[in-house]
Amino acid sequence: MQAIFISYDQAHHQAIIEILDRCSCRGFTAFGNVQGRGSHKGEPHYGSHAWPSLAQAMLTFVEDERVDTLLSRLKALDEEKPRLGLRAFVWPITTTI
């Protein structure tokens, strides 16, 4: 099992839920409005007058065999609208309760 943290422009929210559904990844925790900026390029997401957009974040736990498909679909979404911003990070999960 892998944990996938997804940080994205709020405009991507519904599309990401649809991607999770298509990949049969049911469980996730979404973090409402969050602020941030990318490490290389892209506009900041501060929710301010100068930078009005906001980001959101999501954490999902996925079976190993679904990770590559999910990441591939998230990457395709990011490439459709690269200025919005979308990143995903994967961590191995060794123990759960």
Side-chain angles (χ1 to χ4, degrees), residues 2-88:
Q2 308 287 331
I4 303 176
F5 178 81
I6 310 164
S7 177
Y8 54 93
D9 185 283
Q10 62 189 4
H12 283 314
H13 186 74
Q14 189 58 40
I16 290 173
I17 291 174
E18 291 169 8
I19 288 170
L20 290 172
D21 288 344
R22 279 183 265 148
C23 292
S24 299
C25 301
R26 187 179 188 296
F28 67 86
T29 299
F31 304 93
N33 295 331
V34 297
Q35 297 179 3
R37 64 180 182 201
S39 54
H40 298 290
K41 53 185 171 178
E43 297 182 359
H45 291 72
Y46 295 153
S48 68
H49 176 70
W51 302 103
S53 65
L54 283 167
Q56 293 187 339
M58 186 177 291
L59 183 62
T60 185
F61 296 87
V62 177
E63 292 83 6
D64 292 345
E65 63 272 9
R66 298 179 202 264
V67 171
D68 289 339
T69 301
L70 178 57
L71 291 178
S72 175
R73 291 182 180 181
L74 291 173
K75 184 175 188 208
L77 177 61
D78 182 46
E79 289 173 347
E80 284 177 24
K81 298 177 182 166
R83 292 192 57 148
L84 289 180
L86 186 157
R87 296 292 175 265

